[in-house]
Amino acid sequence: RNVFRVGIAYGITAWLLAQVADLLLENFGAPDWVMKAVLVVLLIGFPLAILFAWAYEMTPEGLRKEGEVNQSRSITTQTGKKLDRAIISVLVVAVALLVLDRFRPAENSTVAPGQNQDSSLTVPDPAAGELESEDKSIAVLPFVNMSSDPEQEYFSDGISEEILNALARVKELKVAGRTSSFAFKGQNQDLRQIGEALGVNHILEGSVRKAGDHVRITAQLIQVKDGFHLWSDTYDRELKDVFAIQDEIANAILGQLKTALLDAPVATQAPASTVTYDLYLLAKQNMRERTESSLQTAAAQLDRAIALDPGFAPALAQRAVAELLLSVDEYGTIPNEQSRRNAKLWIDQALELGKDLDEAWAALGLYWGQATNRGERLNGIEPLERALAINPNLTDASNWLQGIMADHGRLRDSIGILEQMVERDPLYRPALSNLILRYCSAGQFDKARDVHGRASTLFADDPKVLAQEAMIMQFEGRKGDVIPLVREAWTQLPNDNGFRFTYALNLFSLRNYEEVLKLNGDEFRVAALQQLGRTEEATLLAYKLAASGQDIPSVFHLLGRSGRYAELVEFFEARWANLEDWITEFPSLSGFGHMQLALMAHAYRSVGNEERFDTAMRLLEENLSTQRRQGANNYVLLESEAYFHMLAGDEELALDKLSESVEGGYLFSPRLTDGMPALQPLEGDPRFEAIQERNLEIINRERAKLGWEPIELDRTL
């Protein structure tokens, strides 16, 4: 009767049917109860099949009860052989399925059915060279939203990000940043290429299905080099347990990677309700857009979350960040002091609730980083470092930290942080742009071009990439090549003020002052009016900008470069008691000299205040020496150094610095003394005149690239 053979055949066949049903039902979005019903039917069928095989026997005449069969005519041996062949066939199919699931090749899509399969992101060719990375490294790809409602995508993104943040808190583990990992969302990319681009050896991917009060999260850990599935699991829970699931997944991954911190599992703070968590996730999603409207929406969502759960510290911390980003100096219209005052209340509450909350320390760092007095901004370093010690993947905190350090004479530290950011989060664009800027300020153009080459490979046709190329060209002195690039980038992103600033700067450098005045902005407008001889208009605009706090340096340059030294001293002393207070507020140590301080030194010498002249020269020498020690080397810094040495009485060294500045791309105006009036005693000196002729030659060379007429030096002045 082959009872055992029937049982084996039934078990294997039922397992295959269950696998097929699970796949089909998952893709069709069937409710969970359908799969459960299939399993129940298959389980009920097993004892029925065994009973049937026991009671009946297959004969040449068909099925007969066992008691009615003449044993001399029994064909159970032949039937058994047929069952053996059937069992072997089914086993082959089952083993094949297991092998496919266990050793799925890395080129398989990581995208859920129904998502866009077109690749819009170009990753580096793996043959171009392998990135060095430690064995304990991972990228968390955004989990696929399998819910019936596409609007729930923020929830699956939030789950992915929380798991990423939990893993990032483990110091021994390198975790690719959110920006880079999420750049592959909806893409059909080879996992090996993703691992190569992100510099990791493991990838976590999965899916989230949210239905009513239940959630199913599936996660799988994949080894990049061969696509081997190290671990996978599925969690069917009530929504109230979603926070525990995140911790379970994170700790399971740490176990697979054999980290040394298994005795101290990660844990996240759970809010009182899933509604609070939903609002928190939605707010964080909106904050990433960095527009006034998106930040206002995020602030409103966080207000609702806090009202529902005043003890949920992450929402308080993010509310503070939203408030700071809505200030006048950032993306909104809230007065700076009001924004900082409001934000500090939320920060204090968040830190009181969670002393080890990375988001709260990051918010405190941003709070100090926005201080009006630049000296106070140094207070932001400690909380930002503390936030990053807890969670190294806070890319915004890293960016805020490197900015503070660069502004306060720690250029090398700033570059180091940016290099780490690019290694950890290679698709985070602000880090790429800022690193290019820092390399340019240090005169390291080869490194700047390496970073730009990487960015242009990853972000083909992105206008920001054009701006990066223009930045490098500008510091190389290639103003004529910059203008068409920036014009093209600005056409694509007309609301980008950075493009307008760069465009105005290069128009001004090539003496196209009328075009500068046509731009819808105040960048270089005062200087252009001054060069056109419209001094009264320039003065009115400069004082207006200074009164509004938008552009105080324009007054320094206007008055200092036009020889109105007594007026400059009066303007200065009406605002600051002494030079030390001013230099504390405006340290200007980011690698680009300090021409305002140089002009103040010249002004005090001109009005006969030798004491303050000596103080200004001492502060200027300290400032320039600090920047040099930090590796700064560019034509803007050289301009300040030339001015300093001229005021110090070292004309030869001043001419050396001036020559380097002109060759590096200074190009303030055809007549060098228009930009540096302290050099006027050198007019007629053969070496100075040669440098001035070289300056004019470079200006006309760059103008020729644009088809503009050459200009001549007015020697009547």
Side-chain angles (χ1 to χ4, degrees):
R1 285 166 291 173
N2 299 301
V3 175
F4 290 108
R5 288 187 174 93
V6 169
I8 293 171
Y10 184 93
I12 297 172
T13 304
W15 180 85
L16 281 175
L17 289 173
Q19 296 302 310
V20 173
D22 184 53
L23 178 64
L24 293 175
L25 294 174
E26 183 80 14
N27 287 325
F28 282 110
D32 292 343
W33 66 264
V34 177
M35 185 61 196
K36 292 177 182 178
V38 171
L39 293 175
V40 169
V41 170
L42 291 173
L43 287 172
I44 293 173
F46 182 75
L48 295 178
I50 296 298
L51 288 173
F52 190 84
W54 182 268
Y56 290 87
E57 185 176 326
M58 179 63 71
T59 69
E61 292 80 22
L63 281 174
R64 293 284 187 274
K65 286 184 178 181
E66 188 274 337
E68 299 174 359
V69 177
N70 187 334
Q71 293 302 309
S72 63
R73 297 171 58 89
S74 175
I75 59 170
T76 54
T77 302
Q78 300 174 33
T79 306
K81 291 179 180 180
K82 291 180 180 180
L83 282 171
D84 288 341
R85 288 194 292 271
I87 290 171
I88 291 171
S89 299
V90 176
L91 273 174
V92 168
V93 175
V95 170
L97 282 176
L98 280 172
V99 170
L100 284 173
D101 181 63
R102 190 71 176 171
F103 299 98
R104 185 176 57 182
E107 56 264 22
N108 280 4
S109 170
T110 61
V111 186
Q115 283 197 318
N116 180 14
Q117 299 290 313
D118 295 330
S119 172
S120 63
L121 180 68
T122 304
V123 297
D125 184 354
E130 295 184 358
L131 296 176
E132 293 184 0
S133 60
E134 298 177 359
D135 185 55
K136 294 174 184 176
S137 57
I138 188 170
V140 181
L141 299 186
F143 282 25
V144 177
N145 174 34
M146 300 296 289
S147 305
S148 57
D149 183 4
E151 297 286 330
Q152 293 294 320
E153 189 162 316
Y154 76 90
F155 185 80
S156 56
D157 286 353
I159 295 292
S160 313
E161 186 176 358
E162 290 298 322
I163 295 171
L164 185 154
N165 286 332
L167 293 171
R169 293 185 177 95
V170 179
K171 294 180 181 179
E172 286 81 355
L173 186 63
K174 175 189 173 185
V175 183
R178 180 197 184 279
T179 304
S180 298
S181 297
F182 275 56
F184 294 95
K185 182 176 181 177
Q187 306 300 318
N188 181 16
Q189 293 284 354
D190 187 308
L191 290 181
R192 285 172 295 188
Q193 285 189 315
I194 295 177
E196 192 77 24
L198 301 183
V200 298
N201 288 332
H202 304 90
I203 286 177
L204 179 72
E205 61 179 1
S207 64
V208 178
R209 173 182 290 172
K210 182 181 177 185
D213 293 331
H214 291 78
V215 63
R216 167 181 284 186
I217 299 177
T218 300
Q220 51 188 354
L221 182 65
I222 301 166
Q223 193 165 274
V224 168
K225 64 181 179 182
D226 54 13
F228 188 83
H229 283 54
L230 297 174
W231 164 87
S232 64
D233 208 341
T234 299
Y235 301 83
D236 287 293
R237 306 285 174 80
E238 292 185 12
L239 268 177
K240 65 181 181 181
D241 295 326
V242 70
F243 316 106
I245 299 174
Q246 294 167 3
D247 294 342
E248 285 184 48
I249 294 174
N251 286 307
I253 293 165
L254 295 179
Q256 292 297 323
L257 296 181
K258 297 179 174 62
T259 179
L261 296 185
L262 290 179
D263 291 335
V266 296
T268 55
Q269 180 186 356
S273 71
T274 56
V275 176
T276 302
Y277 189 61
D278 274 353
L279 291 167
Y280 167 74
L281 293 180
L282 284 167
K284 289 183 70 175
Q285 183 182 60
N286 284 315
M287 288 171 67
R288 290 190 187 95
E289 295 182 23
R290 289 296 201 266
T291 65
E292 183 177 10
S293 60
S294 67
L295 289 166
Q296 287 173 340
T297 300
Q301 289 165 337
L302 290 166
D303 284 339
R304 290 172 57 199
I306 293 168
L308 289 169
D309 185 359
F312 187 43
L316 291 164
Q318 290 301 326
R319 182 63 182 89
V321 173
E323 186 77 2
L324 292 168
L325 294 178
L326 281 167
S327 66
V328 170
D329 284 350
E330 295 287 349
Y331 303 91
T333 57
I334 302 175
N336 293 330
E337 287 307 310
Q338 178 185 336
S339 165
R340 297 185 72 240
R341 185 169 56 252
N342 294 341
K344 189 60 163 58
L345 295 174
W346 284 305
I347 292 170
D348 290 343
Q349 292 178 54
L351 287 173
E352 185 176 349
L353 290 164
K355 290 295 184 183
D356 294 324
L357 180 61
D358 51 354
E359 293 170 89
W361 289 112
L364 183 60
L366 177 60
Y367 167 82
W368 284 115
Q370 288 189 350
T372 304
N373 186 315
R374 296 194 184 186
E376 291 185 357
R377 296 182 187 179
L378 286 169
N379 295 329
I381 292 178
E382 183 179 352
L384 288 171
E385 288 180 333
R386 185 162 180 175
L388 291 167
I390 299 169
N391 183 357
N393 264 38
L394 292 179
T395 49
D396 284 339
S398 294
N399 205 30
W400 298 333
L401 178 60
Q402 69 82 22
I404 294 175
M405 288 185 167
D407 286 343
H408 289 82
R410 295 174 60 179
L411 179 61
R412 295 188 196 280
D413 289 336
S414 174
I415 289 175
I417 292 171
L418 287 165
E419 288 173 338
Q420 291 175 9
M421 290 174 67
V422 169
E423 180 184 355
R424 185 179 293 275
D425 203 348
L427 304 186
Y428 183 63
R429 302 184 198 198
L432 293 169
S433 295
N434 284 328
L435 184 55
I436 290 172
L437 174 62
R438 302 295 181 228
Y439 280 147
C440 286
S441 72
Q444 299 178 10
F445 298 119
D446 289 343
K447 288 186 176 181
R449 289 207 168 275
D450 286 344
V451 175
H452 174 259
R454 185 174 183 177
S456 59
T457 301
L458 295 169
F459 304 108
D461 303 322
D462 189 317
K464 293 285 187 179
V465 174
L466 294 177
Q468 292 170 357
E469 174 75 6
M471 184 193 306
I472 299 171
M473 289 179 174
Q474 178 178 310
F475 279 98
E476 291 176 331
R478 298 163 56 188
K479 316 293 193 203
D481 296 316
V482 171
I483 287 178
L485 272 182
V486 177
R487 186 190 294 131
E488 171 61 24
W490 197 18
T491 300
Q492 297 182 47
L493 289 176
N495 295 323
D496 192 301
N497 294 334
F499 293 161
R500 186 180 64 212
F501 177 88
T502 305
Y503 191 47
L505 169 61
N506 288 276
L507 287 174
F508 182 89
S509 298
L510 298 184
R511 207 180 179 183
N512 198 335
Y513 306 132
E514 294 291 350
E515 285 299 317
V516 172
L517 298 181
K518 292 179 183 178
L519 300 179
N520 183 27
D522 295 318
E523 294 85 359
F524 295 94
R525 182 175 292 270
V526 172
L529 289 169
Q530 184 180 8
Q531 289 294 313
L532 290 170
R534 295 160 62 176
T535 306
E536 185 176 351
E537 289 181 67
T539 302
L540 289 172
L541 178 59
Y543 276 94
K544 177 184 175 182
L545 293 174
S548 65
Q550 296 180 54
D551 187 8
I552 294 177
S554 284
V555 176
F556 283 83
H557 292 289
L558 170 74
L559 300 178
R561 285 169 171 162
S562 58
R564 296 155 66 179
Y565 302 119
E567 193 175 341
L568 176 54
V569 169
E570 181 182 354
F571 172 83
F572 177 85
E573 294 184 349
R575 288 160 177 78
W576 294 280
N578 53 61
L579 288 159
E580 287 86 354
D581 288 347
W582 173 57
I583 201 71
T584 299
E585 185 173 346
F586 297 98
S588 296
L589 288 165
S590 57
F592 301 109
H594 201 322
M595 270 304 292
Q596 295 102 287
L597 182 54
L599 291 169
M600 282 308 304
H602 193 184
Y604 275 120
R605 164 172 279 183
S606 299
V607 300
N609 191 333
E610 289 298 322
E611 182 181 352
R612 288 216 166 183
F613 168 74
D614 291 340
T615 300
M617 290 293 285
R618 174 178 57 79
L619 293 172
L620 182 58
E621 183 177 24
E622 292 172 358
N623 179 283
L624 298 177
S625 296
T626 297
Q627 295 183 64
R628 275 291 175 186
R629 284 196 303 271
Q630 285 293 314
N633 183 23
N634 57 80
Y635 67 82
V636 186
L637 174 62
L638 286 162
E639 174 196 12
S640 293
E641 291 178 327
Y643 213 101
F644 168 77
H645 290 300
M646 188 65 192
L647 290 174
D650 192 340
E651 294 183 1
E652 286 303 312
L653 190 50
L655 287 169
D656 289 342
K657 296 293 184 179
L658 179 62
S659 178
E660 285 186 68
S661 181
V662 167
E663 292 296 336
Y666 170 65
L667 305 185
F668 178 83
S669 66
R671 182 171 290 278
L672 292 171
T673 51
D674 286 348
M676 292 181 276
L679 302 181
Q680 287 175 357
L682 295 175
E683 293 275 11
D685 181 285
R687 187 179 176 195
F688 176 78
E689 293 300 332
I691 295 172
Q692 190 149 262
E693 288 294 338
R694 176 59 176 160
N695 182 55
L696 181 63
E697 177 188 337
I698 295 173
I699 290 176
N700 283 329
R701 180 195 71 193
E702 298 304 311
R703 286 176 63 91
K705 293 178 179 179
L706 301 165
W708 296 353
E709 293 293 325
I711 59 175
E712 295 183 2
L713 184 64
D714 186 353
R715 301 186 182 277
T716 63
L717 298 177

